[in-house]
Amino acid sequence: MKDSLIIGGKTITNRLFVGTGKFENKKIIKNVLDESKAEVVTVALRRIDMESKKENILDYIPKHCILMTNTSGARNAKEAIRIARLARAAGCGNWIKIEVISDNKYLFPDNYETLKATEVLSKEGFVVFPYVNPDLIISRQLEKSGAAAVMPLGSPIGTNRGLRTKEIVRIIVKELTIPVIVDAGIGKPSEAAECMELGCGAVLVNTAIATADNPVGMAEAFSKAVEAGRIAYLSGLAISLDRARASSPLTGFLRSNES
Amino acid sequence: MKVEAVVNKSFHDWFLQFKGLNIEIFFKDVTDKDITDVLSAKEKSIEQFLTLLSPIAEKYLEDMAQTANKLTVQNFGKTIHLYTPIYISNYCVNNCIYCGFNLNSKIKRKKLTLEEVAEEAKFIGSTGLRHILVLTGESREETPLPYIKDCIKILKKKFTSISIEIYALKGREYEELIKIGVDGLTIYQEVYDKHIYDQVHLSGPKKDYLFRLEAPERALSKGMRCANIGALLGLNDWRKEVFMLGIHAKYLQDNFTDAEISISIPRIRKNASRFEPVCDVTDINVAQIVVALRIFLPRVGITLSTRESPEFRENLIPLGITRISAGSTTVVGGHTIYEGGGKSPEQFEILDERGVNEIKVMLESKGYQPVLKDWVSL
């Protein structure tokens, strides 16, 4: 079955996107990306040191990967826009994940500022991936503003609590024409599969892989789960009923009249 | 314990509600079950934080450490941020009885020239560090704000994040520094007990308790990205001080939601003042402090300086530390100018003298990624 995700003119086969924060060393990032065959990788510009010969995180990212720089640390649209422009100027390409956090306690994204940054950066030719608190209205506005996808959180970032926002994400998937990528909160491969079964375009995972005892093994597990969930979605899941079918139907008399 | 919400109040006005709290009596009522209840609670209340600081909680140090370790990895990953201090001057008009730079110390005074600042910056930059902390004593005459600004402009060329640990400033002065690229403020209240504060700060502008206490609020309200607060352990009963420190951090986190808040818990070290700590703070106590703070405030950074020994620092890291200094010197010009020559005196004694590379190797061997750069100059 040929099934690819096309975003920003690129064709992506592996729908597991990988985040690079929180790893115990940079070499593991390379092993994770090699083994999981991930194609899209997000890196915070704040962590990239172009001037360092030994410490540049980009040296650990395989050449075939698409770099999605993120604006981690931005507190408002203005800072996110500035970081995006700096990233492009530094040679990090034009894929940008907008991450605007004005609440450091729970790390919830600021939807309003994220929308403002998306409007500006889309016009400037960036391929924009806004990270949001799941909300249909904002998602529609982001689509209208030129976002390449929307990235709702599954549960608060880093919590590994799974797809707690399922009911809302399901509606966003149904209503939008651009891909929906669940980003944040996915703790287990089964939860990543659940996102894909709903029809999400991809899943972005960082903490669950980076803090696993064996990050490389966990990345492989996630990659396979994402693939399985995608195939299930394309194959059309059987409808699950919440009750048994009554053996003495109440409307049976209507059919007996037909004979 | 009923706690009022923080609404349009300064930290000082908000913490007045705890004035009647008798911590000794509170600790008498803490039971073993209280401790285990705290560890299984989802959100930790202020009362529960105090419970974790109780003498009886020491029995549960291992359980607390396990919880603290999980919270730290979940929130910060397996990473430790590195920075180093640069002392630009030791002139000081304050008489703080515990400090090696106090005005009565018969030490050689030194202020870096801008050329010397550039030289130090070049050396520190070559270690790969991109975060620097600028320190001075308090002297508006020798090191006025324009001088500090000139130094920062030079450092800006080499570093992506600049924090200051200088005398308390007015709000508009913080604003000026933010404009030229300062993103972090480090300022320790030293001691939260007002009476003791008055006794150990004999004279000078630092004697103004409230002006210092409210400095983080002034800076954050002007848009400072990060604030690191601290209490100098050894001046008062550490349980009382750490309680105040923890609720101060909580106050800042609740009021300035977009700021990154960090905490330091320095113990008094030997220095030219020859001051002896009034209260004992053991290694076990420090471990309890770190885990209690981490459990109460899972998103707050905890900074550990080179005042502690290499071995102790390494062992504390998994308990909740997120930021450590490396290649430190508390000597003015200590990175380059006085190397091998006649040294100017230290502010306090350093126990961990390892350079940046050694610290990096140590962190990697312990399963932590050293983070040398974590901000961009906007």
Side-chain angles (χ1 to χ4, degrees):
Chain A
M1 187 172 354
K2 180 97 181 124
D3 167 50
S4 315
L5 179 64
I6 297 170
I7 296 185
K10 306 249 187 190
T11 307
I12 299 151
T13 316
N14 190 333
R15 293 167 182 265
L16 171 67
F17 294 8
V18 177
T20 53
K22 298 189 174 176
F23 281 91
E24 72 171 74
N25 72 56
K26 296 197 215 42
K27 285 173 216 113
I28 294 181
I29 297 174
K30 187 177 181 319
N31 297 343
V32 159
L33 295 173
D34 284 339
E35 293 299 315
S36 66
K37 311 238 173 353
E39 292 164 53
V40 180
V41 182
T42 181
V43 181
L45 183 71
R46 65 195 284 182
R47 290 271 173 97
I48 300 175
D49 191 353
M50 294 290 191
E51 286 175 25
S52 172
K53 288 191 177 69
K54 280 182 268 174
E55 297 292 340
N56 190 349
I57 191 169
L58 298 183
D59 296 338
Y60 297 84
I61 293 173
K63 291 284 166 280
H64 71 269
C65 287
I66 302 166
L67 185 64
M68 180 202 283
T69 317
N70 71 59
T71 65
S72 166
R75 297 174 293 179
N76 49 48
K78 209 174 136 199
E79 289 182 355
I81 292 165
R82 179 93 184 109
I83 293 171
R85 289 172 182 162
L86 285 171
R88 184 157 68 179
C92 297
N94 66 346
W95 281 39
I96 195 90
K97 175 184 152 188
I98 300 180
E99 196 176 317
V100 179
I101 308 282
S102 56
D103 177 277
N104 248 311
K105 205 198 284 186
Y106 300 101
L107 295 175
F108 280 129
D110 185 325
N111 283 358
Y112 175 63
E113 293 291 318
T114 302
L115 177 62
K116 284 201 287 187
T118 302
E119 283 166 350
V120 172
L121 293 171
S122 301
K123 281 191 193 122
E124 292 182 10
F126 284 91
V127 180
V128 181
F129 296 81
Y131 166 55
V132 291
N133 232 319
D135 176 89
L136 178 62
I137 313 308
I138 272 284
S139 299
R140 281 192 180 126
Q141 287 167 329
L142 288 165
E143 179 169 33
K144 242 184 240 165
S145 308
V150 288
M151 304 181 88
L153 56 87
S155 46
I157 194 163
T159 59
N160 293 339
R161 292 178 61 79
L163 188 58
R164 300 278 165 146
T165 54
K166 187 171 180 176
E167 295 311 318
I168 302 162
V169 169
R170 184 205 305 279
I171 291 168
I172 297 173
V173 169
K174 195 170 137 245
E175 293 298 316
L176 262 59
T177 57
I178 54 175
V180 174
I181 301 168
V182 173
D183 175 6
I186 299 303
K188 300 189 196 89
S190 56
E191 293 157 358
E194 187 184 8
C195 298
M196 298 309 294
E197 288 166 6
L198 280 186
C200 289
V203 177
L204 195 153
V205 181
N206 182 7
T207 308
I209 296 175
T211 63
D213 288 342
N214 173 4
V216 174
M218 191 55 78
E220 193 190 348
F222 266 104
S223 185
K224 287 182 171 160
V226 164
E227 192 186 357
R230 179 65 188 172
I231 296 172
Y233 171 73
L234 292 176
S235 308
L237 289 169
I239 297 163
S240 67
L241 295 175
D242 57 3
R243 59 181 184 276
R245 209 163 270 198
S247 53
S248 312
L250 292 171
T251 55
F253 70 96
L254 296 172
R255 248 171 269 140
S256 61
N257 282 351
E258 285 169 11
S259 58
Chain B
M1 192 190 300
K2 211 170 152 263
V3 179
E4 271 177 58
V6 184
V7 187
N8 297 328
K9 272 189 176 170
S10 70
F11 173 61
H12 180 259
D13 290 349
W14 180 71
F15 93 57
L16 284 178
Q17 64 178 306
F18 300 104
K19 231 182 159 188
L21 174 71
N22 186 324
I23 288 187
E24 278 96 359
I25 291 175
F26 178 90
F27 285 155
K28 269 189 197 141
D29 291 337
V30 175
T31 63
D32 290 69
K33 190 176 174 298
D34 288 336
I35 314 282
T36 48
D37 283 355
V38 175
L39 290 176
S40 53
K42 250 188 186 171
E43 297 274 326
K44 273 62 173 175
S45 66
I46 287 176
E47 186 172 347
Q48 287 174 319
F49 171 49
L50 193 52
T51 303
L52 294 179
L53 294 173
S54 67
I56 196 172
E58 196 184 299
K59 279 203 288 184
Y60 296 87
L61 199 51
E62 180 56 32
D63 294 332
M64 287 164 69
Q66 293 292 344
T67 305
N69 173 260
K70 279 196 196 91
L71 285 169
T72 312
V73 171
Q74 183 193 327
N75 281 286
F76 298 90
K78 294 176 178 173
T79 64
I80 295 283
H81 290 231
L82 299 183
Y83 73 96
T84 208
I86 174 173
Y87 279 73
I88 57 172
S89 162
N90 61 9
Y91 284 96
C92 198
V93 298
N94 289 318
N95 192 354
C96 315
I97 61 172
Y98 50 81
C99 178
F101 288 175
N102 93 53
L103 89 163
N104 291 327
S105 280
K106 301 270 178 284
I107 55 166
K108 196 179 154 211
R109 301 288 169 170
K110 163 82 185 165
K111 161 183 153 184
L112 294 184
T113 64
L114 296 182
E115 291 71 30
E116 287 169 334
V117 171
E119 204 179 320
E120 291 263 297
K122 197 175 152 196
F123 173 80
I124 299 166
S126 72
T127 65
L129 290 178
R130 298 291 176 258
H131 290 238
I132 198 159
L133 175 65
V134 180
L135 292 102
T136 61
E138 174 152 10
S139 172
R140 291 255 178 193
E141 203 170 302
E142 295 291 342
T143 52
L145 201 59
Y147 163 75
I148 294 170
K149 282 167 77 173
D150 287 342
C151 293
I152 285 162
K153 282 177 195 157
I154 291 167
L155 295 169
K156 201 69 206 155
K157 292 175 194 157
K158 294 274 176 203
F159 301 95
T160 60
S161 168
I162 298 179
S163 297
I164 46 164
E165 187 172 350
I166 63 172
Y167 46 90
L169 299 176
K170 298 186 184 97
R172 59 171 170 74
E173 293 174 318
Y174 284 125
E175 206 170 3
E176 281 179 47
L177 293 181
I178 293 165
K179 253 187 210 153
I180 61 162
V182 170
D183 58 274
L185 170 71
T186 294
I187 192 160
Y188 302 160
Q189 187 59 24
E190 319 292 11
V191 56
Y192 282 89
D193 183 295
K194 219 170 177 171
H195 182 66
I196 298 173
Y197 187 94
D198 205 50
Q199 287 177 332
V200 297
H201 299 100
L202 299 178
S203 62
K206 193 170 169 181
K207 203 169 174 58
D208 188 338
Y209 176 87
L210 204 56
F211 189 68
R212 191 165 185 89
L213 187 70
E214 293 181 345
E217 290 158 61
R218 287 196 298 276
L220 291 170
S221 65
K222 296 294 179 189
M224 189 72 83
R225 295 185 55 81
C226 313
N228 189 331
I229 57 172
L232 187 55
L233 302 180
L235 294 174
N236 182 20
D237 177 353
W238 65 263
R239 296 178 206 272
K240 293 178 186 167
E241 286 299 309
V242 174
F243 175 67
M244 291 303 293
L245 178 62
I247 64 169
H248 192 185
K250 180 182 160 51
Y251 169 88
L252 295 174
Q253 193 181 43
D254 288 347
N255 274 263
F256 304 97
T257 59
D258 62 359
E260 288 177 23
I261 309 299
S262 306
I263 292 177
S264 294
I265 40 161
R267 282 192 280 190
I268 293 179
R269 285 288 163 219
K270 221 165 49 183
N271 63 56
S273 77
R274 296 175 200 278
F275 178 81
E276 288 294 328
V278 182
C279 306
D280 207 24
V281 189
T282 66
D283 286 0
I284 293 175
N285 298 154
V286 173
Q288 186 178 351
I289 293 167
V290 171
V291 297
L293 286 168
R294 170 56 63 234
I295 294 169
F296 178 50
L297 300 165
R299 285 285 316 151
V300 158
I302 304 179
T303 309
L304 190 62
S305 80
T306 48
R307 288 166 188 255
E308 302 294 348
S309 73
E311 196 192 355
F312 189 55
R313 285 180 107 200
E314 287 174 27
N315 288 326
L316 273 186
I317 284 171
L319 272 53
I321 304 301
T322 57
R323 228 159 63 105
I324 64 173
S325 48
S328 294
T329 163
T330 65
V331 171
V332 179
H335 292 282
T336 54
I337 298 147
Y338 289 96
E339 213 168 27
K343 264 190 171 181
S344 92
E346 317 178 290
Q347 187 191 23
F348 56 84
E349 185 188 33
I350 275 182
L351 294 186
D352 187 353
E353 293 182 318
R354 291 176 293 183
V356 177
N357 274 330
E358 280 172 276
I359 294 284
K360 275 164 63 180
V361 170
M362 177 276 285
L363 288 173
E364 279 165 5
S365 74
K366 288 190 70 81
Y368 284 88
Q369 182 194 160
V371 174
L372 279 72
K373 175 180 178 290
D374 196 36
W375 190 231
V376 275
S377 304
L378 293 181

